[in-house]
Amino acid sequence: MSLGDGTDRVVFVDTIALSTYLVAFVVGPLEATDPIDVDGVPVRIIHPPGRADQTAFALEVAAHSLRWLADWYGISVPGGKVDLVALPDFAFGAMENLGCITFREVLLLVDPESADQRELESVAAVISHELAHLWFGDLVTMRWWNGIWLNEAFATFMEMKAVEAWRPDWDIWAGFGASRAAALDVDALASTRPIEYPVVTPADAESMFDLLTYEKGAGVVRMLEQFLGEEVFRDGVRLYLSAHLGGNTDNEDLWTALEEASGQPVGDLMHSWIFQGGFPVVEGTVVGDTCTLVQRRFRYDGAADDSLWQVPMRIRTTRGEHRLLLGDSPVVLELDGPLVTLNAGADGFYRSEVDVPPDPTRLTAIERAMSVDDRWAATLGGRHDPASFSGFVEAFTGDPDLAVWQAVLRGLYTIDLVAPGRHLTTAAEASGLLGGIVDRLGWEPSESEGDRTRQLRGILLVAAGTLADDPAVIAEARRRWSANASSDPAVDGAVVAIVTSHGDSADRAECRRRFGAAETSQEEQRHLRALALFPGITEVEALLDEVHQATVRTQDAPFLIRSLLAHPHHRALVWRNLVDHWEDMEDRLPSNSIARMLEGIRALGADVDPDVDRFLDDNPVPQGALTVAQHRERRHVNLRLGNRLSG
Ligand SMILES: [Zn+2]
């Protein structure tokens, strides 16, 4: 309403009872799509002008997830309307403000024709995550910030269930294996933390938004759901929501409801996972028809530790599945057939070691991925010679699954990262492992191929063209780059990564031009990330200049620096540059991104700078102190790995 004096009055309807952190106002030159009707709730995408053609995918996901979530929770959509808003520069991924959910552009606007499966999945997952919060977080919220982890863990868990229901062919839980591996990686450090801890200061609360809250939290919730059974778990959540609608809760209230629904000691079980850091490795010793199970804490530093968990285990033999809770004492399990896995479905947030090698033909894709990942983690922990990893994964080289190859490549890339001096050996090993499947998949997807196989082709081509330095793959990528012809989105992405990893100044100019001319956020991000891949010092310096002159957005700069710190040839230069510009970057970059940027220090060998630790002692990051401590400890794990590889 115009007030006639050059100002307008905007009147809002009353909201439901709401926490103040969920209220947002967005002002700017934005356009809105026409609302679509989702069972009486109008849903719109709000976007920068001219981007309406990239909103259909988000609307489709939102419509599906809202209906699916309302049905799962047994409560209709809260809030009366849902606006999903794309913001041009946003330090967070997205935020679940009631009725006005905000996103980074790249996590909402997308052209399904030119985006690959990973990009589409991340859009679908983030939208579903925020929508899941409308019930779990907005309608019922935590009493105090110590409970925020459960909001986030639960929404992360629900995002996957909603996307699983929408696109079962994406095998979303196999994809979650990579996120869980990242959480297990941090949680194997002495400097990990309990999922829940007392929150006193704003920095305490800000520190909670990390991998352990989202990915470990979601992993533990998933483990509980699979142990209790999906329907029993859902019934418990419904009990909890209906008992506390419009109110505040402690996490204990959810465990109580789940105990009521399941008759299981959920509170006792969850306490060991929530109030102590770390996780166990379950060791199985098979003698005849019995398997003896014991647990100990899994730590990379190998230090003695008497922490124990209530481990809800699903064990599979060739005959069937067995569920048991492993506690303080060893358990002797009578086997009804040969043991297949101690972590069926790979849903347990633990690692396992058995004295018989895994049989890939009896494992599901996600179990095969977990088996490779368990081996790699044990290698980082010093239990296997790192040079034997490529031999171990030979049993998986015919594998057709994306998650398995992601696990294999995580190990190989890390070896290359920490021991750049043995690059030729690593490249030859990678070449031997990848050759067969790269030839078999070729460059062009067949009509009948699923999205995950297309994605697999993309990551394998990148590995063949960068890790294995396959001349034929590099030549073909270059041919496609010069022709600038688009084929499959995952192949297009691979071409950019391969060419820039070997590119010169002319290629950089072209990559920069394509970044500037990009018509979608995904295409823009692809070329932006690639600017950090050029091998030459001139190109590295050019990107550092762009960061300092703010010609790249502050939401992106920390991730470029993180990537540059792992540069194959110029890490030392990048680190010195970071040290020189430290105060400016602390001032200018989003506060929550500094600790994430420093993840890059994991790549800094002792030769780069003997004083990395001293610099970080002198320049603490209060809002991310623990995360930085974890990067520092993880760097030392890499230093030990590098020494073992070159020793
Ligand atoms: Zn969230």
Side-chain angles (χ1 to χ4, degrees), residues 455-470:
Q455 197 65 22
L456 173 63
R457 173 182 295 101
I459 70 162
L460 290 175
L461 285 173
V462 174
T466 62
L467 187 62
D469 292 331
D470 182 326

Side-chain angles (χ1 to χ4, degrees), residues 534-582:
F534 286 92
I537 193 163
T538 315
E539 288 71 39
V540 170
E541 285 174 334
L543 185 55
L544 288 169
D545 284 347
E546 294 216 49
V547 166
H548 300 313
Q549 288 159 18
T551 54
V552 295
R553 292 187 280 193
T554 57
Q555 68 168 19
D556 298 321
F559 300 98
L560 293 170
I561 298 288
R562 179 178 72 181
S563 172
L564 283 172
L565 283 167
H567 193 277
H569 315 299
H570 303 302
R571 290 172 212 181
L573 170 114
V574 177
W575 170 248
R576 277 199 306 278
N577 184 280
L578 174 65
V579 167
D580 290 345
H581 292 83
W582 180 255

Side-chain angles (χ1 to χ4, degrees), residues 31-37 42-47 52 55 59 82-83:
E31 292 174 353
T33 62
D34 290 334
I36 58 164
D37 177 272
V43 178
R44 300 184 300 176
I45 310 292
I46 316 292
H47 57 87
T55 56
L59 283 169
V82 175
D83 283 337

Side-chain angles (χ1 to χ4, degrees), residues 565 569-580 582 598 600-619 632 635-636 639:
L565 283 167
H569 315 299
H570 303 302
R571 290 172 212 181
L573 170 114
V574 177
W575 170 248
R576 277 199 306 278
N577 184 280
L578 174 65
V579 167
D580 290 345
W582 180 255
L598 288 173
I601 66 164
R602 295 167 173 212
L604 301 181
D607 54 323
V608 168
D609 177 356
D611 291 328
V612 171
D613 282 320
R614 189 194 299 167
F615 177 81
L616 294 169
D617 281 341
D618 294 345
N619 296 276
R632 291 172 63 174
R635 170 172 172 261
H636 285 275
L639 288 173

Side-chain angles (χ1 to χ4, degrees), residues 269-325:
L269 194 164
M270 290 302 274
H271 288 168
S272 67
W273 293 93
I274 286 161
F275 294 113
Q276 65 181 351
F279 62 90
V281 52
V282 176
E283 292 172 310
T285 310
V286 177
V287 178
D289 293 341
T290 64
C291 178
T292 305
L293 303 169
V294 293
Q295 61 164 307
R296 63 178 163 81
R297 181 167 173 182
F298 183 95
R299 292 174 57 141
Y300 285 146
D301 64 9
D305 191 315
D306 53 12
S307 310
L308 291 169
W309 285 260
Q310 291 290 317
V311 190
M313 296 186 68
R314 291 169 54 211
I315 295 167
R316 195 167 71 249
T317 67
T318 54
R319 289 286 189 74
E321 190 179 300
H322 307 270
R323 294 180 186 215
L324 61 88
L325 260 184

Side-chain angles (χ1 to χ4, degrees), residues 465-519:
T466 62
L467 187 62
D469 292 331
D470 182 326
V473 169
I474 297 169
E476 176 61 16
R478 183 153 281 293
R479 194 188 66 73
R480 288 169 180 253
W481 167 268
S482 302
N484 200 6
S486 173
S487 57
D488 175 74
V491 172
D492 294 347
V495 166
V496 176
I498 296 166
V499 169
T500 55
S501 294
H502 301 279
D504 59 16
S505 60
D507 298 319
R508 197 218 187 247
E510 176 60 13
C511 185
R512 188 71 180 74
R513 188 194 67 74
R514 292 187 191 185
F515 162 69
E519 287 179 355

Side-chain angles (χ1 to χ4, degrees), residues 57 64 117 120 124 162-172 451:
F57 183 82
H64 170 272
Q117 186 265 345
L120 293 174
V163 177
E164 179 189 31
W166 185 54
R167 289 297 300 267
D169 60 308
W170 281 355
D171 203 354
I172 191 102
D451 284 358

